Structures are given as structure tokens and as C-alpha cells.
Amino acid sequence: MVKIVPRIGNSKQIAIKVIAAETARLIADGANIIQLSQGVPNLPIFDAAHEAMSSVLSGRILPYTDVAGIAAVRDTAAEFINRFYRSDQMETPHTFDRSNVILTSGAVQAVYNVLALSIEGSTDVVVSPLPAYGLYKHQTELLGGTFVGIPTTSDNNFVPTTAELRSFFDRYITKDPSTGRQVLQIRSVVFCYPNNPAGSDLSADQARELALFLNEMLDRFPDPGFSVILDEVYVGITARPISEYQSILMYASERLLQSSVVILSASKGMGAMPGMRSAFSVCANPTLVENMVKVQQACSANSNILGQHGLNASLRYILQNPQALDEVAAHYFQRTSYITNRLNEMGEKFMNGHIVARQTEATFYIFADFSGLPGFETDEEIQRYFRDLYKSGRHKTGVAVVPGSAFAMDPRSKLLRFSCAVTMEQATVAMQVIEDALADMVAFQ
């Protein structure tokens, strides 16, 4: 019998992936379910990306590339960062080049590359504000480390305050018995803004405040320090134009800049091609990039060559036509606005005026609050109820969503993530299905 080590055998699959697979199985078996669970864009890829990938494919030769990726694509990624992160105007100006870039098989590989650099055992801690995508916890524990979520509130748009961050840092300060000096056990801090699932975005003040705190902590604990992962794959779906985009990186000190890794992708707003697994990491410290290459050599090696060309064409198109991202954002905000308004109408009718949803600032998600809905104890109960409406609901149609507990939130908070990357017809039908189900449930009670 094959030995399975406890950290694999005892681990759980990422909840979102389980829900997606289960929903896909039900649909394949004939269930009529509207898919509002997975974050899959419903826009086509850019014409430029289609042409670039078609051209490569027509040559019928698909070779390996350097593990870090094709040099010209890395040049384009660096140009993108320099322009839209306004690198010459950053707190610590820095001109990025290909030595600062590694192309990865999606953000999944990109995050793993960073975490693998510093996690050796359970005393190595990774922290991230909640709600947080389950990937961070899963990869941390896969590497043998400890993941800790930092609670946030909707009052602060799910962005942690420096006081909240400080309290968690203080918990993981120990004393080295041989030297007596204080040692920080935190090895990485992961920020996901624009945030999945909350749809929140950082203001300039918030980005600056977080950067100042991280600068302070790195000055206090320089050796070993910690990495800062900036998972920003939803750039391109924000209320602000990309020319006004805000990131912690823009306010970083030299030490923070050298410790930060920005992760971007062509999967969401900047390309709409998640199946191509086209992402990249950018770090001002080329030594970190070189070591991430070592990790990637032993995992996925080079990312998909078609995806690399698609990524290059997408970034070049955006560099030449930044207004294209405004059109992408407008497409999704039409849907998030509609679903937000419809959910709040239901809150007014069936939950004593409870505000169920707030208009998102970024992404194509709504993080809806169903705490005012009677008859359910947890978010998973509501999630299953909506999905299983295909069996017994008035329309014999289910609606698949994701419970907030999939993002390490308290299931009793009854939070649900709605992906609005669907047609307006699908959004309309989904909201009618839910409204009629709630009406029937209230009438029955």
C-alpha cells in the first residue's frame, strides 16, 4: 500500500474546487443549475491574444521555454508594471526588467513559489486577512506550515487595520533561547486586493497605511524577515481606471520592495483566459526570482507556451489600449449592480429590510450577507438550498453559489459569494429563482 503522509492524507480539498466539481457533475447528470459559483469570466479573450496563440499553434511546434518564461514576454510584463504601477513615482522608485519577472502556471503556482521559499515546519506562519481564498491555507499546510487568518469587518470594507495586524504579529513573536533576541515566526503575509470574494479595493490611504506597518515590521525583524505576497489578479476589474490603481507596492520602503512579490494574471480582467494558466510574478529582488525558478523547476517548469504568447498579446493590447479595461469593468459592474439591487429588494421583502449586499468596488463578485434570513443556521445550508432548487423549486432550477466558510469565514455569519460573470439573462433568471424560493419559504412558515 502506498504511504500517504499525514499532511496530505489529513488535508481537505479546497472548498471552492469541491463545490465546482460537484456542481459540474450535477449539471452533467441533467440538473438545471445556473452557475454563480466559479470565478470564470464570461467575456471572450482579446482578439490580439487569439491571433497570437493561433499563430503559434498554426506552426505546429510547441517547444519548452525557459522555466522563467520567454524573455520577450517577461519584458512586456515588466513594462506593464513600470507603467501601471507608476514605478518611477513609487515611494521607492524602481525600474523593473525581465530579471524581476517569472511567468507561472496561474496564480496557484505563483503563490506556491513564494511560500515554498520560507516554510519548513509548523512554527513557520503565514497570515492573511479574511476572507481569504482557500488556496493560501491549503498550500501553507501542504508545505508543513501554519496558516492564520486575520478577521476583518465589512465596516472597513474587509481591509485590516494596522492595529488588527499588529495584534497578530505580536502573537507570533518568540525569544531565541540562545541569543535572547526576539524572533518573528511569520514567514509570509498574503494580501488579496482587489479582494476575492469581498469585491473590495484598497484606497491610497489604506495602501499607504499597510505599507508603513509592513515597513516597520521588516525594520524590527530584518533577519529572518518575511515575504509579502500581493495577489492582485483582479487588476482590470476595478471602479477606478487602471491609471489610478493603488497597491501596497507603490508605498513600499526599499526593504519592503525587496520582500514583496506582486502576482498578476491573464485569467480575469486582463485576458479572460483562466484555462491557459497564464500568470506572472514580479519582484524587485532578482535573487528571490532566481530561487522561485528553483521551486518551479520541480513543479510545473515553464508555463504553457500558448498561454505565454496569449499573455504577451493581452498585456501589449492593454498597454496600447488601457481604456479596454474600463470596458471590461463596465461589463461586470452592470451585472454586480443588478444582482446587488435584486438581493437588496429581497432583503426588504423577506428579511425585515436587511441590507444583503453592497455594490462592489472591484472584481465580478458580490459577498452577500444572509444573516437576516430565518430558517438557516449556516451559510452551507443556504448554499445547498439554493443549489438544490433544481429538484423542488418553483422553476426546477438551482443556483450555485459559494459559502463564506470556503473563505475561512464563520459559517454562522451566513455569507455567500455570487459570481456575476454571467449573461444578464442568466443573472435575471437566477435572481427570480431565489426570490420565488424565498417567497414560497416565507409563505410556508
Side-chain angles (χ1 to χ4, degrees), residues 319-341:
L319 283 163
Q320 295 163 9
N321 305 278
Q323 71 278 3
L325 294 183
D326 296 335
E327 297 168 6
V328 170
H331 171 86
Y332 292 121
F333 288 159
Q334 179 190 18
R335 287 148 178 77
T336 56
S337 294
Y338 171 76
I339 293 179
T340 295
N341 291 336

Side-chain angles (χ1 to χ4, degrees), residues 185-230:
Q185 292 179 302
I186 292 174
R187 299 288 172 259
S188 191
V189 187
V190 186
F191 292 97
C192 178
Y193 297 101
N195 183 262
N196 169 22
S200 52
D201 198 12
L202 293 180
S203 67
D205 287 343
Q206 287 171 324
R208 184 183 296 105
E209 184 178 351
L210 292 172
L212 286 172
F213 172 78
L214 296 168
N215 293 337
E216 176 192 338
M217 291 298 103
L218 283 169
D219 285 343
R220 184 178 172 189
F221 300 103
D223 186 25
F226 54 88
S227 62
V228 177
I229 298 175
L230 303 176

Side-chain angles (χ1 to χ4, degrees), residues 335-412:
R335 287 148 178 77
T336 56
S337 294
Y338 171 76
I339 293 179
T340 295
N341 291 336
R342 291 289 281 114
L343 290 174
N344 285 329
E345 288 173 4
M346 296 177 214
E348 185 68 32
K349 288 181 181 179
F350 309 120
M351 302 176 224
N352 297 316
H354 178 69
I355 297 175
V356 178
R358 301 180 188 278
Q359 176 58 43
T360 59
E361 298 175 335
T363 77
F364 40 59
Y365 302 121
I366 293 170
F367 206 36
D369 177 358
F370 280 81
S371 60
L373 183 64
F376 299 93
E377 295 296 323
T378 69
D379 55 6
E380 292 179 356
E381 291 177 15
I382 305 173
Q383 174 250 326
R384 287 193 295 269
Y385 175 69
F386 287 167
R387 182 200 65 192
D388 292 346
L389 288 169
Y390 77 90
K391 298 177 183 178
S392 57
R394 193 188 303 183
H395 299 270
K396 296 296 186 290
T397 299
V399 179
V401 296
V402 179
S405 52
F407 301 91
M409 301 299 279
D410 185 341
R412 294 167 300 180

